[in-house]
Structure formats: C-alpha cells, structure tokens
Amino acid sequence: MDDRERVSGVYTPGNIPITPPGLEAIYSACRRLYPDQPNPLQVTALVKYWLGGPDPLDYISMYANPGDPDRNIPPHWHYISFGLSDLHGDCRVYELGVSDGPSGFGFELTFRLKREPGEANPPTWPAALMQALARYVFQSENVLCSGDHVSWHTPLDGSESRIQHMLMTEDAQMQPISSILGVVNFIQIVGVCGEELKAAQHWNGPGIIELLRSKPAAGGAWLVTDMRRGETIFELDPHLKERLDQGIEQEGSNLSGVSAWCSWDEPGENHSSDSEDDKENKKDRYEDELEREEARRSGNESDRRAISHYDQEQIKATLKKGLSSTHLNVKDDSQSQSRKESFDSTVSSEGPTELIRTRSLDSVHLKFNLEAGSLLPLALRGRLKHGRHFTFKGIMNDIAITLVSSSVVGSITDDEHPFAAHGTWLQVLIQEDAIDEMIDDLDELSNPDEILCPKTYSWPEKKLCITILPDES
C-alpha cells in the first residue's frame, strides 16, 4: 500500500481521526519536548488560510522554556508554527506528499525570545512576525533554509531595538520529524543587528550563526533572541572581526547578488550619427560575433571548467528576485510578479534567441549608487577572487550586471571579449590579474561614509570605468 492509499485510508467513513496526521506529528514532537505543557497558549488564525484568510499559519504555539543555567541559556519563550507543512493531508492547502519527501514546504518556523523577569505571558508580536514570513513563503514559493538571511530594516518588536534583521538556522531542540505526509524540518528565526546581517552577507549565514552561539549575550547555544541586546558580537568580542575577515578571505562569500540601483553603457556609442558604411561595418562585426558565440558554445572547452548547473540557477534566481534589500512583509502582488520577469530567456544556458542577440562590447562604463558601490569590494574579494560571480539587479528597470571570473565559462564572455550584453543583461569578465588591482583601487568603498560622490574609477588598459553616484540621485 503506497502513501496515498494509506492517507486516504485514514479518512474512511466512521474512521475520521481526531487530529490530522501532520498536525499530530508536530504536536507529538512538542509533547516530547514539553511534557509538562500539554495545552500551551496559542495564536490562532481567525479565518484559516484555506478558507480565504490572510494568515497561512493555522496556529503558533508558545511554550515556556526554562533554559539551562549551567550553559548560560536563559529562560525564554519558544514559539512553534503550524502551517508551512501539510497539516491535514486532504489537499486543502497542499498536494498530497509522500513519506520520504517534504511535507508542504518541508519546514515549520520557530523562534526563541528571552523571557523578561516576572513576565507571566509570552508576547504575541513574534507570532505576527512568523505570519509575515509565512506569507512571503506562500507568495514567492521560496523556502527558508538554514543559513538564509532576511533584511527587515525595522526592530522586530516595533521598539527602538538594534535587533532589526534575521538569520535562519536549525532549531537546537526540535529535530526533523516525518509522517505519512512527509518530512518536516524546524527552522529557527534568530534576531540580529545590522552589523551582523552585513557580516552574514559578506561571509555566510552559518559562519555568523556559530559566532553568535559562542557568545551567551548574543544568543548562546540555543540562539535565544534578546531584544534588549545593545551590543553586536563584534563589540562584545573585537577578535571576532578577525575571524570574519579570515572567513571571507579563505571561503569567500555566499552572497551571489543584490537588488540595486545600477546602469551601464558603452562609451562613445551613438547610433543616430552612424554613417551607412559604419552601419554596414557594425553589421559585419555583429554577424562575426554571432558566429564566434556559436562556435564558443559548441566548441571544445575542456581546458576550462564549465559553469555548473548550480551556478546557472544562482544567476537566474538572483536576476529574478535580488537578495539583500528585500523587506519580506509585502502584502501586494509586486513581489510575486517580480519573479516572472523577462530574464528567464536571457539567463538560459541555451543559445541566443532570435529576438535577443548576444553582442560583444569594446568598452564599458558601469554606474552604481553609493549603497550598491559599497558592495564592489565584497564582490571582488568574496566572490570573484574565489572563482565565482556576482550580480547587481536593477530595482528601477530590467537592467542586470553580472561580474564573472575567468573560471565561470558558462557566461557569454571570454578572454578576447570580456564585455558581452544579452538584451539588458551585461556580463563583465574580470580577469584574475586585474582582481587584486581593482580590490586595492576600490577598497575605500568599504567605508562609504568617507566617499565624496560622484566619483569615477578608471582602468584604461581594461577599457573599463565605474562611476559611483550619490544615493539620493
């Protein structure tokens, strides 16, 4: 008997279970952890999502966790969601899964909030935060995973706290569970300061999570969020900055792109004044470029590492949604719409379409606002120097700029043609011998407050220049 037959068998007439199988699996896990709290306080969606309500989470249970004084883990409130996994198994929200696959989205959210002295009841604002994250997941169909970061740009509890962003990790006590409806992981929300979010972007989420674990005041072993924490981990222990720099240098950054204000053009380009001979010469060069592009795609490139499917999907995902500056509490349709842009065709690993041709450029002028420009040192030091790529996706238009290293062969550039455009998507090859030079030249952008804009950086021998413009422009 397969899983579907077993699930349907649960709902035979006269044999309707008191608790649906997905719901029971989570309840059982909670009872094992909190045997003395069989009936915790719950925040309940008044109108369930599957009945047209706005909140995807049916319930959020709130438990009193005593912590572990011997390990400097304080008493805290433990919030556990119900609804990102398949609770009912009757297709009211999700298609029916199988026992060895994910149940619904495959995870539930948890959150640990430090309990204030004398606090008798748990605050309910974490439940609203979890509902907002759940709405993002349902709207975007993007699963939250351990190591992810969420830019929120406002105190999580609406106060004046420095805790204004989130990292995701595995819950320390809630282990993965499985039922006939599939597997459920428990992803814990960890509140962090802006400096800690930036460190996670420049290095990676798991690395910063481990630094937070090492400091009881910053969360400790169970990563308990303290909304009154006034110091970052780097203020608590300045030596952790060295660990961060070492991690970026050795491992690079996991951040593959950002949404940003950016643009590009080809210096000296003036189509309106071209003579007929110029146009004919450009047409010949254009056709030659297409032939070279086709030969490059079909030829033998065994001497260079081909771009992996993972890298191709990373570029595509970056172009579709951007990464760093997204506030996830979005109630309109703009967020889901942004994932259906025309970049699906431009980032395909197949050859150019008939409507959008790939062309090589002789020189390139890149323009970024100061906020985006401040990430250029990260892109070079944390990504390209490690053989990776970095994409700036325009927030006001369909423009995208991807910086690639020589190791990324699946791009539309090569050593002879370092600048290539496919529609509004520009790829810029930064060759290995130029990366260190550009890192030195752009290092001051790591301290954007000291930059007087506009400012232009130029590498004439590379036929490349970059202008940094004021944010307000």
Side-chain angles (χ1 to χ4, degrees):
M1 180 182 294
D2 64 20
D3 290 319
R4 294 177 183 271
E5 290 173 332
R6 278 185 279 138
V7 172
S8 62
V10 172
Y11 293 102
T12 56
N15 188 33
I16 298 177
I18 297 176
T19 306
L23 200 59
E24 178 59 33
I26 302 176
Y27 277 145
S28 295
C30 293
R31 284 194 294 266
R32 288 192 294 271
L33 183 58
Y34 297 106
D36 59 336
Q37 301 178 59
N39 296 301
L41 291 173
Q42 279 190 333
V43 173
T44 302
L46 295 179
V47 180
K48 298 295 186 285
Y49 190 77
W50 35 275
L51 292 176
D55 297 325
L57 301 177
D58 284 10
Y59 314 102
I60 298 165
S61 290
M62 302 177 287
Y63 294 90
N65 191 303
D68 187 341
D70 293 336
R71 300 170 62 188
N72 288 319
I73 298 171
H76 58 275
W77 303 110
H78 194 189
Y79 300 75
I80 300 171
S81 77
F82 295 75
L84 286 163
S85 62
D86 189 354
L87 303 179
H88 305 280
D90 58 5
C91 299
R92 69 180 69 180
V93 179
Y94 304 100
E95 293 183 6
L96 203 56
V98 294
S99 59
D100 58 350
S103 171
F105 285 106
F107 73 101
E108 293 288 353
L109 291 169
T110 74
F111 183 65
R112 296 175 185 269
L113 177 66
K114 184 178 179 181
R115 186 174 181 176
E116 298 298 331
E119 195 170 47
N121 294 307
T124 58
W125 64 261
L129 183 71
M130 295 167 85
Q131 288 284 16
L133 289 172
R135 284 193 292 271
Y136 160 74
V137 172
F138 272 79
Q139 290 169 8
S140 67
E141 298 186 354
N142 288 330
V143 173
L144 294 174
C145 301
S146 178
D148 285 351
H149 62 266
V150 177
S151 304
W152 205 248
H153 298 290
T154 190
L156 303 187
D157 62 351
S159 68
E160 296 183 356
S161 173
R162 292 185 72 178
I163 309 300
Q164 301 187 10
H165 308 280
M166 293 167 274
L167 298 182
M168 303 293 158
T169 190
E170 297 92 351
D171 190 283
Q173 292 182 295
M174 296 290 289
Q175 300 302 310
I177 60 173
S178 61
S179 71
I180 56 176
L181 301 179
V183 178
V184 181
N185 295 300
F186 292 92
I187 300 300
Q188 181 178 332
I189 301 164
V190 182
V192 296
C193 304
E195 294 86 345
E196 292 155 355
L197 173 78
K198 184 177 180 181
Q201 293 172 335
H202 282 220
W203 183 21
N204 58 63
I208 299 304
I209 284 291
E210 289 310 308
L211 297 186
L212 290 167
R213 288 188 197 276
S214 71
K215 298 297 172 184
W222 292 357
L223 296 165
V224 177
T225 297
D226 179 4
M227 294 303 296
R228 295 191 178 186
R229 174 162 67 95
E231 295 178 298
T232 71
I233 51 174
F234 306 111
E235 292 166 340
L236 291 168
D237 185 352
H239 292 96
L240 294 183
K241 183 64 168 60
E242 297 176 10
R243 177 69 187 95
L244 171 65
D245 292 338
Q246 183 183 45
I248 296 173
E249 190 68 29
Q250 294 178 351
E251 303 167 24
S253 171
N254 279 3
L255 184 67
S256 62
V258 294
S259 295
W261 189 98
C262 59
S263 66
W264 61 270
D265 57 54
E266 187 175 9
E269 191 175 36
N270 188 346
H271 298 294
S272 61
S273 62
D274 286 345
S275 66
E276 290 302 318
D277 289 342
D278 290 336
K279 292 178 180 178
E280 189 63 30
N281 289 336
K282 284 190 175 182
K283 179 180 179 183
D284 291 341
R285 292 199 304 271
Y286 183 67
E287 292 175 349
D288 289 343
E289 288 167 3
L290 293 179
E291 292 177 2
R292 287 196 297 270
E293 171 68 19
E294 184 63 28
R296 207 158 53 236
R297 291 181 180 272
S298 60
N300 181 8
E301 294 183 327
S302 59
D303 57 324
R304 294 169 68 191
R305 178 176 63 83
I307 189 172
S308 67
H309 176 72
Y310 174 78
D311 280 341
Q312 293 175 16
E313 291 304 310
Q314 248 193 340
I315 293 177
K316 181 182 290 188
T318 298
L319 289 174
K320 280 176 154 183
K321 67 176 183 175
L323 295 178
S324 75
S325 58
T326 303
H327 189 299
L328 300 182
N329 191 4
V330 175
K331 297 183 180 180
D332 57 33
D333 293 332
S334 61
Q335 199 164 31
S336 57
Q337 184 65 30
S338 70
R339 287 165 174 76
K340 300 176 182 178
E341 297 178 23
S342 60
F343 287 105
D344 276 334
S345 61
T346 66
V347 298
S348 171
S349 60
E350 300 173 358
T353 65
E354 291 300 317
L355 297 178
I356 303 178
R357 295 292 188 180
T358 299
R359 63 189 183 95
S360 296
L361 286 66
D362 292 330
S363 59
V364 163
H365 186 185
L366 309 180
K367 299 175 184 177
F368 302 96
N369 69 335
L370 183 56
E371 182 180 6
S374 67
L375 292 174
L376 284 169
L378 160 67
L380 293 166
R381 185 163 66 106
R383 297 291 298 178
L384 272 68
K385 196 170 176 63
H386 293 266
R388 302 170 188 168
H389 53 78
F390 193 91
T391 296
F392 294 90
K393 166 67 177 67
I395 58 176
M396 302 298 293
N397 46 41
D398 284 343
I399 286 174
I401 301 170
T402 296
L403 308 180
V404 299
S405 66
S406 299
S407 300
V408 182
V409 178
S411 72
I412 53 178
T413 65
D414 60 26
D415 290 339
E416 294 182 4
H417 309 89
F419 312 123
H422 194 59
T424 56
W425 181 28
L426 174 71
Q427 293 189 19
V428 177
L429 172 63
I430 308 296
Q431 293 162 331
E432 188 173 351
D433 61 352
I435 293 178
D436 286 334
E437 176 188 356
M438 291 183 66
I439 289 175
D440 290 340
D441 292 343
L442 298 173
D443 182 64
E444 62 182 357
L445 289 174
S446 300
N447 299 300
D449 293 340
E450 302 176 5
I451 303 298
L452 183 62
C453 296
K455 183 165 186 177
T456 297
Y457 303 85
S458 180
W459 299 270
E461 72 284 359
K462 303 295 183 184
K463 298 183 178 179
L464 171 67
C465 63
I466 296 175
T467 294
I468 307 299
L469 300 169
D471 285 332
E472 58 270 20
S473 66

